[in-house]
Amino acid sequence: MMAHKILSVLLLVSISISAYGNPPLDSLDVNRMMEMSLEDLLKLEVSIASKKSLTTRESPGIVSVISGQEIRNMGARDLIDVLRMLPGIQFGYDVQGVIGMGIRGNWGHEGKILLLLDGLEMNELMYSTNYFGNRFDITNIVRIEVIRGPGSSIYGGNAELGVINIITKSGADYQGIEAGANTGIAADEAGTAMSRITGSLGGGYQNNNNTLNVSAHVYAGQGMRTQIPYIDAYGTTHNTQNNSQIYPVNSNIAILYKGLKFRNFYETYQYNTIPYYVEAAATPARLAFDNWSTELKYELKINDKLTLTPKINTSIQKPWHIDKPTQHYEISNDSATGKYAVGSNILSYTALYRVQAYRYAGGIHANYDINPNINVIAGVEAFTEGAHKKDTVFFINQNNNISFNTISAYTQALIFTKFVNITGGLRYTLHNVFGSAIAPRIGFTQVLGPVHIKLLYSRAFRAPSMENINLNPNIKPEETDVAELELGSKLSSYLFITGNFYYINIYKPIIYGVTGNNEEAYYNATKTGSIGTEVELKFQKKYYNFTLNYSNNFAPAGINEVEDYKVPDVKDINLAFPTHKVSLYSSFRLMDNLYINPSVNIYSERYSLGLFIDTTGAAEVIKYPKLAQINVNISYSNIFKVKGLDVHLGMYDLGNANINFIQPYMGNAMPVPSIGREIILRAIYKFSKS
C-alpha cells in the first residue's frame, strides 16, 4: 500500500513538471544569503501579520522570518529543529505519541496555533491539532514566517497564540528540476540504527513575462522518532528502535496563470508509537493522518488602488486513524487426547477511531489603497464543515454525521503618519452552535532611523473544534487578551537587536479532562496565560553571520488558574516548558562554497508529572536538569565541481542531551525521548537547461 501511494504521487509529479526553462538565480546558492547586508535583510517584506507587505520592523506583530538558506545551513532535520531556534517555541507530547507545539509557555497544540503551508491550513479538523516530526521536506522551503502572538483578527479561530506560514518553492525558484536525498544514523548509548531515509523530487517553470508559473514537489520516506528505550508511567521499559517509524508522503502542486492561482496539497502521514496514554503498548499502535487540501483564487485588479480576490478552499481529511494492537495466542484442541495446546502468537489490530472530515470554504478579500498613506482590507468568509463515522453511532446527535456552519467578516486599516503608523482591525465570527466571537486589534508602530517601536494589543479567540463540541455541546470559545511592546535598534551596519515584552491572559480556556464516569470531556476553565520577554541579536557580515536569542516565560498563580498545567509546589512555571531558553544558529564561510554552521539550544529546568504514587494522591514531580543541544552542519555547494550539487553533513545533538518531549498537562504520561545523537547526510542536485 505504501509503495503504491509513493508511486502514484511520483507519477503525478512527473506529469506535472514540464521541460526546463532558462537558468534563473539559483535559490540554493549558498553565497546569496551570506552576501546580503544587514540593511537588505531588514528590508525584506512579509505579509503574515497584516495581509499587506511590510518589513518586519513595520509589521504590526512580533514577527520572525527564517530563510530557506538559514534552514539548510543549520542542518535542520525537520520543522521541529527550525522552530526550536525561535524565541519562546517548544514542543511537547500529547496522547498516542503525537508531538505538538507550545508557545511562550502555553500549550498550543489544540487549536491555539495556526499552521499554514503556502496559505493552506494544515491543522486537522476534528481537534484542530498539528503533528510534527519528519513531516515536511526542509529543502523545499523558501522561508518560514512566524507570528509569535495572536492572529485571530486576520486568520480566525485557530490563530489565538501564533501563526506559522511555510512558503515553498515556486516555478521561479526551480526553473528546472531538483532531486534530493537524506539519510541519517542515530548513534548513542542505545546503539546505532538507521534513523531516516527520505527522498524528494521537484520542479517548475516560469515564463519570461511572469504570467505563467507552475511547480510540483513530492516528498516520501521513512524516519524514526527515537531509538532510546521508553519507560512508561508504571516503570516498564519498552524497546523503541524498530517501533517508532514515521512514514511521510506528500505532494504540493501549484499553477499560477495571470491572476488565477490553484494549489493542491496531498498528504498521508503514518507512524508507529509505543507511548499511548498513561500506559504503553507492548507492540506499537499505528496512527495515520490523511489530508487533501486545495485552493482556487483569482486576483482581480479593478484599478491601481483596488484588488478583489475571491477564493474557494476544500479540505478532506482522515485524521487520528488509530489501530491499537492486540496480542493473543492460537488455542488448538487435540481430538485424540482431548487436551488444549497453546499455539503461535497472533497479532491483530483493532480500529479505535475512523472518521472522515471535510471543510468547504469560500470568501472574497478586498485590498484598497485609498491613498499612499491609508490601506484598507476587508473580507467575508464562510465555511461548512462536518464529519462522518461509519458503522456505529458516534456523535452527540446520535447520528453517524455531524456538520456545522461558520461565517466571518473582517476588516483592517493601516494608516501611515509622520509620527506613528496605526493598525486597527476586527473580525466577527458566527457559529451555528457555539455562537459568536469577536477579535479586535490595534497597533502602533514606527521606524525612526535605526530604531523601531511597536505597541500592540489584540483580543484573540480559539474556536471550539468539532470534537470539542461533540464531547460538550455547551463549550464556548476561549478569549485571549495579549499586550505586546517591542523595541529594536540597528546598532551598526552589521548588528541589530530587538526585544519584546508580552502579557497573555486566556479566559475560558478549553481543557481536556475525564468525567467521574471515566469518559472523555472538554470544559471551559477560568483562565491561564503567561508573561515574559524575548530578545534577539542578529549579526550579518559577508563571511560570517549569527542569530542569538533569549526568551523567558512565567505563569504566576494570578494568571494561570488551571491546575492541570501547574507544577505542584513550584511557582510561576507550567509543565513541560523551560522558563529560560537560549538559541544560537550561525554560519562561517571557510572558502568558496564551503561553510560550517554551528547551532545550540540551551534550556533551563523542565518538569513533568508521574503517577499518583502516594497515599494522599499527590502527583510525583519529576525535574529535568538544564541541558544544551549542540549541533554542527557542514555545507558544500557545487561539490566535486559539479554545478548544482550541494551536500550537507550534519552532526546533531553531539553531547546526546536528548531534549525529550514532555506532556504539558497533568496526564501522567512519561516523556517521550527524542532521537538523541544523529549524523545526517543530505544531497541536493539541481539541473536546468542552459
Side-chain angles (χ1 to χ4, degrees), residues 294-312:
T294 65
E295 180 177 73
L296 179 65
K297 63 182 180 181
Y298 183 70
E299 291 187 0
L300 178 62
K301 197 170 181 64
I302 304 299
N303 52 46
D304 291 340
K305 295 184 176 182
L306 178 62
T307 301
L308 298 179
T309 307
K311 67 175 184 177
I312 299 172

Side-chain angles (χ1 to χ4, degrees), residues 414-433:
L414 289 172
I415 303 171
F416 302 93
T417 74
K418 182 178 180 180
F419 303 102
V420 67
N421 302 328
I422 304 170
T423 303
L426 179 73
R427 172 180 283 260
Y428 176 78
T429 295
L430 181 64
H431 188 276
N432 70 307
V433 173

Side-chain angles (χ1 to χ4, degrees), residues 131-145:
Y131 38 97
F132 293 90
N134 212 38
R135 183 180 175 187
F136 301 112
D137 180 16
I138 289 296
T139 67
N140 191 45
I141 296 174
V142 173
R143 69 182 182 275
I144 300 176
E145 301 175 354

